[in-house]
Amino acid sequence: MKNSDTITMAHGAGGKQTSALISGIFKKYFENPYFTADDASVLPAPNGKIAMTTDGFIVSPQFFPGGNIGKLSICGTVNDLSCMGARPLYMTCAFVIEEGFPVADLDKIASAMAKTADEAGVHLVAGDTKVAGKGQCGGVFITTTGVGELLPDVHTSGALAEPFDDIIVTGDIGRHGCTILLARDDYGIDADVTSDCAPLWKPVEAALKAVPGLHVIRDATRGGVGTVLYEIAAESNVGIHLSAEAIPVDPAVRGVTSMLGLEPLYLACEGRLVMFCPHEHTSDLLGVLKGQVYTSGAAVIGHVTEENKGLVIMTTEIGAQTILPEPGNELLPRIC
């Protein structure tokens, strides 16, 4: 590692350079009682059922206001487990690193992963490293797999939305997608927008303790809140009614999307959840969410109806009703 400031093909060859890379960066940040140098990690089995998920991350640029691909890879997997009511326990990660990638940047990515994993209470227990030739992968790709322990008596699913459920978002929407768009500097727009990227297990745990009967929890990542709502409307065979005035959007995000003709409901979030809650428990849920760091901006944006099944209807700021266009074609900006 001392002889090179960039990743070389030798770092992926399995010899001493690979060992130096693993010990100099990954072991330095990821070491914990379960982190292994063997072919597989041996772990204590959780009680009851487990949830398991996997995801790949290829975001460009890999460093952006509010995070980087390393932080994003932990948040994405932690949040997927959290939405199922599963306490994140263990994660693995696989890196594909392009020849010539700066070692200092890889160090920053690994550091962000370790810090975020520690905040979420999850252990990084195993991984893999491959080096691709120059021009083959565009920097670094990360694939993560997570295992979590389901909380007892919790069952959430996009198929469980019911008429009269209130629909809650846990903060202002579209910030991650807008941040990535601005970071690419394709449009020459200067705006102060920071990604909402965050690990959300703690607010989810608090929410489920307060309202164990939550019907749906879904993270609004690629495709944003609008795509999530259409997915749930289809899965549960219900209609969804939104109030445009109630949807929280940061003024800077609103300005950027207005200039470019984009809909904030279809911009990606990486630290926002959509929850479907029985109406009688909504005030309890909001009280808990507003007391958490990453969900203090929680708001009710609509409700579930028996009419217009499979559709999302929105009441506009002037009181008219319109069908929210279904997501389709290429969503901009593409984030992965």
Side-chain angles (χ1 to χ4, degrees), residues 68-79:
N68 60 46
I69 191 173
K71 179 181 180 180
L72 183 65
S73 70
I74 302 297
C75 291
T77 297
V78 163
N79 295 347

Side-chain angles (χ1 to χ4, degrees), residues 59-328:
V59 65
S60 177
Q62 286 144 3
F63 292 84
F64 49 84
N68 60 46
I69 191 173
K71 179 181 180 180
L72 183 65
S73 70
I74 302 297
C75 291
T77 297
V78 163
N79 295 347
D80 282 348
L81 293 172
S82 300
C83 287
M84 300 307 298
R87 182 191 310 278
L89 297 177
Y90 311 120
M91 284 182 61
T92 66
C93 56
F95 289 80
V96 178
I97 311 166
E98 184 180 23
E99 179 186 13
F101 191 77
V103 170
D105 284 352
L106 186 62
D107 188 276
K108 293 174 185 176
I109 288 167
S111 174
M113 292 176 72
K115 181 179 178 180
T116 309
D118 183 65
E119 181 181 357
V122 66
H123 290 97
L124 287 156
V125 299
D128 185 53
T129 303
K130 296 291 187 292
V131 176
K134 187 75 173 176
Q136 290 185 329
C137 77
V140 60
F141 296 168
I142 303 175
T143 299
T144 52
T145 296
V147 174
E149 180 181 16
L150 281 170
L151 296 183
D153 302 319
V154 169
H155 181 43
T156 64
S157 170
L160 296 179
E162 296 182 0
F164 312 112
D165 279 355
D166 285 326
I167 302 169
I168 293 148
V169 294
T170 58
D172 62 290
I173 66 169
R175 276 209 280 133
H176 181 73
C178 188
T179 298
I180 297 301
L181 183 150
L182 294 172
R184 291 175 183 166
D185 200 25
D186 291 334
Y187 300 98
I189 298 173
D190 185 18
D192 185 15
V193 182
T194 301
S195 172
D196 56 8
C197 184
L200 298 174
W201 166 243
K202 290 180 181 178
V204 169
E205 182 181 31
L208 288 171
K209 286 181 178 178
V211 186
L214 273 176
H215 291 154
V216 182
I217 308 175
R218 188 71 64 85
D219 58 336
T221 52
R222 182 172 48 186
V225 171
T227 298
V228 164
L229 294 177
Y230 263 105
E231 290 172 350
I232 295 168
E235 289 177 49
S236 295
N237 193 31
V238 296
I240 289 176
H241 192 147
L242 301 181
S243 168
E245 287 187 333
I247 299 169
V249 181
D250 182 85
V253 174
R254 179 75 73 187
V256 172
T257 54
S258 294
M259 282 190 286
L260 298 178
L262 300 175
E263 170 54 66
L265 282 165
Y266 289 124
L267 288 182
C269 307
E270 288 293 348
R272 298 291 182 255
L273 302 172
V274 179
M275 296 182 172
F276 284 56
C277 179
H279 177 72
E280 61 269 24
H281 298 304
T282 297
S283 61
D284 292 334
L285 178 60
L286 286 175
V288 168
L289 292 174
K290 288 179 179 294
Q292 298 288 319
V293 173
Y294 296 126
T295 57
S296 59
V300 177
I301 63 169
H303 61 274
V304 179
T305 71
E306 295 176 317
E307 298 80 29
N308 302 307
K309 292 181 178 180
L311 294 178
V312 179
I313 308 295
M314 186 158 62
T315 299
T316 68
E317 288 86 348
I318 62 172
Q321 289 194 354
T322 184
I323 298 175
L324 187 72
E326 291 192 55

